[in-house]
Amino acid sequence: MEPLIVRTEDPLNAEAPLGPLVRSHLTPTPLFFIRNHGAVPAVDADAYRLTLDGDVREPVVLSLRELRDGWPAATVTATLACAGNRRNDQTPVPAGVPWGAGAIGNAVWTGVRLADLLAAAGASDAARHVAFTGLDRPVAEGTAQPFAASIPMAKALSPEVVVAYEMDGEPLAPEHGFPVRVVVPGYIGARSVKWLAGISVRASQSPSFFQLRDYALDGTPLTEQALNSAFSADTGRGYAVGAGGRPVERVEISTDGGRSWTAATLESGGGPWEWRLWSADVDSAGELLVRAWDSAGEGQPETADWNERGYMNNGWFRARLESG
Ligand SMILES: Nc1nc2c(c(=O)[nH]1)N[C@H]1C(S)=C(S)[C@@H](COP(=O)(O)O)O[C@H]1N2
Ligand SMILES: [Mo]
């Protein structure tokens, strides 16, 4: 926990300091941000069962061993970010966990494709959503209830979505969802449910507070992450992350308030679901602006729409450069 900046103690919410974060393409687990809504549940791996039910031909109950041995392992390199990443850069700062730009991390996730599990259970073609329920019991609206979320069936069937039991080749750490979590690349972090207890095939979205009201804007649950970037003036390096499977193709910086832009040097990445690290030599003092462009030619907006939850803040990143 030591290298992380703790934003709230209970539940534990902590993010990486930017300088160390942008040093390595794969985020070392001790530097990977932690976003918990309640206490981390202690899960006995031997007693663990994953249930897949709802609108299926045959409900499935799997032990950890059955999950690992029953299907080919699938691996995806994906960047996970909280919808509230960069909340602190909004003016005025909205309520919520006061995240800087470190509520993000990149890892190799290994598990079973969700599509394979859905096929095994015989998910109905007519079902529109796949819901996930965690083993934790955070308090929301005065009631202890499992953390839960859902994604549309089309996304659930996409090969990048994995029911993961490993992060960077190791069993998941307790705070990142041991023994099993879902990883939904390209979506806000809240849909990648940790300590996964159940998967349910449904006609409608998860009825959970966390799906319909907490991670929603204007009554619409959030799905895809936004194109975003950040820069560490201490190291001259930054990250840029695409969304919806559109990788970052270009990062630009400006030291004259956005009148002129120069391309930064891309250093790693290029896969559809992972961030790119980049570097820039800047010797001037003052304000540096950063914006990224994706493979569809979309760029970050100068300013993101302010919202009372402080979600999806992806306006141009602003860093203060010291002279010398
Ligand atoms: N069961 C459960 N899953 C969860 C959460 C949670 O509190 N409980 N937090 C979600 C949110 S909001 C985010 S951003 C990611 C964070 O994953 P991490 O803590 O592994 O970085 O987990 C998601 N999955
Ligand atoms: Mo989040």
Side-chain angles (χ1 to χ4, degrees):
M1 235 62 76
E2 174 64 281
L4 295 176
I5 303 164
V6 174
R7 295 301 185 193
T8 71
E9 296 265 4
D10 184 18
L12 178 62
N13 285 299
E15 69 178 293
L18 260 185
L21 180 64
V22 295
R23 211 177 282 143
S24 54
H25 184 68
L26 293 180
T27 307
T29 302
L31 266 180
F32 204 100
F33 80 103
I34 297 167
R35 184 17 174 156
N36 294 333
H37 292 75
V40 173
V43 183
D44 173 351
D46 292 330
Y48 173 80
R49 295 292 180 274
L50 173 63
T51 303
L52 202 174
D53 61 14
D55 196 358
V56 296
R57 213 181 328 103
E58 192 71 54
V60 174
V61 180
L62 298 169
S63 68
L64 185 55
R65 176 182 298 268
E66 287 168 327
L67 184 69
R68 298 182 72 114
D69 295 349
W71 286 270
T75 287
V76 62
T77 303
T79 301
L80 214 62
C82 189
N85 191 35
R86 299 189 60 207
R87 173 178 286 132
N88 267 1
D89 297 344
Q90 292 197 335
T91 319
V93 177
V97 179
W99 297 121
I104 186 169
N106 187 53
V108 178
W109 308 94
T110 301
V112 176
R113 284 191 214 290
L114 179 57
D116 288 352
L117 296 180
L118 293 172
S124 157
D125 288 346
R128 308 287 298 281
H129 300 268
V130 177
F132 312 113
T133 303
L135 289 164
D136 52 340
R137 307 251 334 149
V139 175
E141 297 181 317
T143 310
Q145 52 186 292
F147 186 88
S150 65
I151 60 174
M153 180 58 84
K155 180 68 175 179
L157 293 174
S158 271
E160 70 276 8
V161 179
V162 296
V163 174
Y165 42 75
E166 284 178 9
M167 181 178 180
D168 299 330
E170 299 288 336
L172 294 174
E175 58 274 23
H176 296 298
F178 178 86
V180 175
R181 81 179 301 169
V182 62
V183 174
V184 185
Y187 272 37
I188 62 163
R191 307 311 181 212
S192 290
V193 173
K194 304 191 276 190
W195 314 296
L196 187 64
I199 302 173
S200 192
V201 176
R202 297 168 51 88
S204 57
Q205 297 189 46
S206 166
S208 167
F209 161 78
F210 298 101
Q211 175 70 18
L212 296 181
R213 295 191 290 291
D214 197 19
Y215 286 94
L217 283 178
D218 301 324
T220 304
L222 297 169
T223 56
E224 280 187 6
Q225 200 52 274
L227 175 68
N228 216 333
S229 62
F231 177 75
S232 157
D234 298 338
T235 61
R237 297 167 58 80
Y239 68 73
V241 63
R246 295 174 298 277
V248 166
E249 296 222 320
R250 185 178 169 86
V251 175
E252 295 175 328
I253 59 168
S254 173
T255 51
D256 59 9
R259 274 183 297 281
S260 65
W261 296 86
T262 46
T265 306
L266 299 178
E267 296 197 335
S268 76
W273 309 108
E274 61 184 341
W275 67 9
R276 291 196 96 144
L277 299 186
W278 54 275
S279 64
D281 278 328
V282 275
D283 42 23
S284 58
E287 192 177 53
L288 178 83
L289 301 179
V290 179
R291 65 182 187 192
W293 299 87
D294 70 16
S295 60
E298 293 290 329
Q300 287 176 246
E302 180 171 354
T303 317
D305 288 339
W306 188 92
N307 60 78
E308 61 179 14
R309 315 304 298 271
Y311 290 150
M312 317 303 277
N313 184 19
N314 74 334
W316 297 349
F317 188 84
R318 289 161 193 273
R320 186 132 300 278
L321 302 171
E322 310 294 336
S323 56

